[in-house]
Amino acid sequence: ESGFPDLEKEFEPNILNSTVYIISITLQVATFAINYRGHPFMESLWENRPLLYSIVGSLAVVFAMASCVMPDLNEQFSVVMFPDDFRTVLVQVLMADIVLSYIADRVVRFLFGQARLRRELRT
């Protein structure tokens, strides 16, 4: 074997590329949702209903694929059906990523953002 990937080969879904796909989508959606600031330059996320629905819908589809509750959806997106133990861990990792990213954002924002700005304005 030459060590080079076969670029002409048909795509074959497997557990590795399915996991990477699901995690990368979750990271992108969570990053966008968490970093969306809204006012004063844009509508808040609660006011921008189409954006809110697209974020919630995207996360619902990702969690449906990760938990394999809709096999036809997984097949449509070329995502394999995960073994039960792996599926549980994957869903937990996705939830932990979203929750911990949100917490980290709020802590950093408090320490270095709004709270620091308020202190500097008072002095």
Side-chain angles (χ1 to χ4, degrees), residues 15-30:
I15 196 165
L16 178 62
N17 58 31
S18 295
T19 303
V20 169
Y21 177 68
I22 285 176
I23 290 175
S24 67
I25 291 174
T26 305
L27 290 172
Q28 291 172 10
V29 173

Side-chain angles (χ1 to χ4, degrees), residues 81-113:
M81 298 296 284
F82 300 111
D84 291 341
D85 292 343
F86 186 82
R87 181 182 321 149
T88 302
V89 171
L90 179 60
V91 170
Q92 290 172 346
V93 166
L94 298 179
M95 290 189 309
D97 171 65
I98 293 168
V99 170
L100 294 175
S101 296
Y102 179 80
I103 291 170
D105 175 72
R106 297 303 165 182
V107 167
V108 168
R109 194 168 152 197
F110 176 77
L111 293 176
F112 303 110

